[in-house]
Amino acid sequence: MRMPLFRGMKRWAMIISVVFLSSLLFASCGDNSPSILNPTGPVAGQEANLFWFTLVVATIVFVAVEGWLIFSIVRFRERPNTPQPKQIQGNNTVEIIWTVLPSLFLFAVLAGTIYTMFGLQNVTGSGRLEVKAVGHQWWWEFDYPSLGNITTADTLYIPQGTVIQTDLVSNNVIHSFWVPSITGKTDVIPGHNNTKVFRADTLGEFRGECAEYCGTQHANMNFSVVVLTQAEFNVWASGQQQAALSSTDTLAQQGQKIFKSTGGCTACHGIVGVNLTSYTDPKAAGLVGPNLTHFGSRHLIAGGVLEFGRPGDTSCDIVNGQVKDPAKCGIYQWLLDTQKYKPGNDMVITVTPTQINALVAYLESLK
Ligand code: CUA
């Protein structure tokens, strides 16, 4: 009569192994997936520590409870002619043990959480920089109030080792600011400005995302955090503070004309030196699209749905007055059909391929 139990266990062992192996397999998918377990700053580091602590506590509980359960199932299973087992209902000792023991574990997790919460308030660094992250549907705007109000989109540039005080602002729905390897999630709530303080210790580019459902394109509300040395950051910031350069290239100049034409791009987008006098131009507040003053220095479009201009990517280069590889050029594809790549977004334009070539030339010149 013992056979079915062991045959059942064998099958479960098989199922568990398959699940375990396939999870390992899927874990290797997509090297663009950021992980909270690769922290590159003190905030994500403390949060990762709390995760490991909770995991250890939970594992102890899981192994003890499931081990006891499996032991009891095997050891005390019904055999032919076994008498009714001894009943322990109302046993005070047992009831006290299984009330006190779980409470101890839960208090341990609570203590770890509170300890981490206080730790997250005390981030120190070589300086302090205030930035404003504005959640739009569906892209991120980044402003630098202390640096002449530089306004950019999709990519947050920060200096390494500096405490970044991020004011989280939304005038539409609730979003959530999250850079898994640098800092945990904080909600971006209309009418209630939250602040996230963090520091990034490793140079490089890190993926951020919106972590709160905010509409159909929530999943396409990504951004990059680029961590630079202080010197590199200063160069970047002083470049961004300038008005847009006027290109001498004929095609780019045609592109600028299209940009400025009535009912065109300027209804939503601003370029300092073209349709805005400065980043603080009052007109800027009425523009719903990203500020494009230094668009050519960025790589992400529309919350990261498309990319362009990465080192080595020549697909958007202009050859004989045309984009070299339109199918691979992110800006070209975006201007050709914004709704194909991000259905429901606010940008609706109709431009001919000839106009797109000129616009790409112009936008790329905005370094
Ligand atoms: Cu913004 Cu989800």
Side-chain angles (χ1 to χ4, degrees):
M1 294 304 280
R2 287 183 171 205
M3 276 287 283
L5 179 70
F6 287 102
R7 201 183 296 153
M9 281 173 69
K10 219 167 146 187
R11 192 188 324 143
W12 275 107
M14 186 111 125
I15 291 171
I16 289 168
S17 327
V18 168
V19 170
F20 179 71
L21 285 175
S22 48
S23 62
L24 277 184
L25 195 71
F26 291 130
S28 64
C29 292
D31 39 59
N32 193 22
S33 294
S35 170
I36 59 158
L37 302 179
N38 286 328
T40 60
V43 170
Q46 290 179 68
E47 289 164 346
N49 288 343
L50 179 62
F51 169 82
W52 287 117
F53 174 70
T54 310
L55 185 71
V56 167
V57 173
T59 306
I60 293 171
V61 172
F62 179 81
V63 170
V65 171
E66 296 303 307
W68 188 256
L69 184 70
I70 290 168
F71 170 78
S72 303
I73 289 171
V74 176
R75 174 70 182 78
F76 302 114
R77 71 185 185 279
E78 190 176 13
R79 298 180 177 88
N81 306 322
T82 41
Q84 178 85 322
K86 191 181 145 206
Q87 299 300 301
I88 55 163
Q89 190 185 2
N91 183 316
N92 282 343
T93 317
V94 173
E95 300 233 348
I96 287 170
I97 289 174
W98 69 39
T99 305
V100 171
L101 219 53
S103 307
L104 289 180
F105 282 108
L106 287 176
F107 269 109
V109 173
L110 178 68
T113 305
I114 292 173
Y115 176 79
T116 306
M117 284 165 69
F118 278 104
L120 296 183
Q121 307 300 315
N122 298 316
V123 184
T124 54
S126 50
R128 200 173 177 95
L129 175 69
E130 186 191 352
V131 298
K132 200 165 99 178
V134 187
H136 293 272
Q137 278 173 306
W138 298 270
W139 55 281
W140 293 94
E141 171 189 326
F142 299 107
D143 304 338
Y144 297 75
S146 59
L147 298 173
N149 242 47
I150 298 170
T151 303
T152 180
D154 294 332
T155 302
L156 172 64
Y157 288 84
I158 54 171
Q160 177 191 35
T162 295
V163 176
I164 309 297
Q165 179 194 315
T166 321
D167 301 323
L168 304 169
V169 179
S170 166
N171 64 1
N172 41 84
V173 297
I174 301 177
H175 304 273
S176 181
F177 179 88
W178 187 30
V179 191
S181 50
I182 299 177
T183 177
K185 305 165 186 174
T186 302
D187 277 359
V188 184
I189 304 167
H192 176 92
N193 293 357
N194 280 334
T195 299
K196 184 89 213 176
V197 176
F198 62 88
R199 191 183 83 211
D201 290 342
T202 309
L203 298 175
E205 183 171 348
F206 302 90
R207 185 172 145 179
E209 33 201 270
C210 177
E212 178 79 41
Y213 183 73
C214 54
T216 51
Q217 292 296 316
H218 153 72
N220 286 326
M221 194 172 160
N222 299 322
F223 60 101
S224 268
V225 178
V226 172
V227 185
L228 304 169
T229 62
Q230 186 65 54
E232 287 169 338
F233 179 79
N234 293 344
V235 171
W236 174 83
S238 60
Q240 300 284 312
Q241 283 164 347
Q242 311 302 315
L245 282 178
S246 277
S247 175
T248 51
D249 177 71
T250 328
L251 194 64
Q253 284 174 350
Q254 283 173 22
Q256 196 198 58
K257 259 190 215 134
I258 298 166
F259 178 85
K260 289 200 287 189
S261 64
T262 336
C265 318
T266 49
C268 300
H269 295 283
I271 295 182
V272 175
V274 178
N275 62 328
L276 297 178
T277 52
S278 71
Y279 282 109
T280 49
D281 188 323
K283 255 193 290 173
L287 303 173
V288 298
N291 184 299
L292 302 178
T293 306
H294 293 283
F295 181 80
S297 67
R298 317 205 281 249
H299 300 300
L300 300 183
I301 303 171
V305 284
L306 288 166
E307 294 195 359
F308 72 97
R310 293 263 182 207
D313 175 9
T314 58
S315 51
C316 291
D317 286 5
I318 304 292
V319 180
N320 299 327
Q322 290 190 338
V323 168
K324 189 172 147 196
D325 192 347
K328 288 200 183 126
C329 172
I331 319 175
Y332 191 100
Q333 289 301 314
W334 178 248
L335 293 172
L336 191 63
D337 192 350
T338 60
Q339 297 301 318
K340 174 182 165 190
Y341 290 96
K342 203 160 185 175
N345 87 82
D346 284 339
M347 185 161 163
V348 182
I349 55 157
T350 313
V351 271
T352 64
T354 314
Q355 290 173 314
I356 296 178
N357 283 318
L359 281 169
V360 172
Y362 176 54
L363 290 169
E364 279 218 297
S365 75
L366 298 170
K367 297 285 185 202

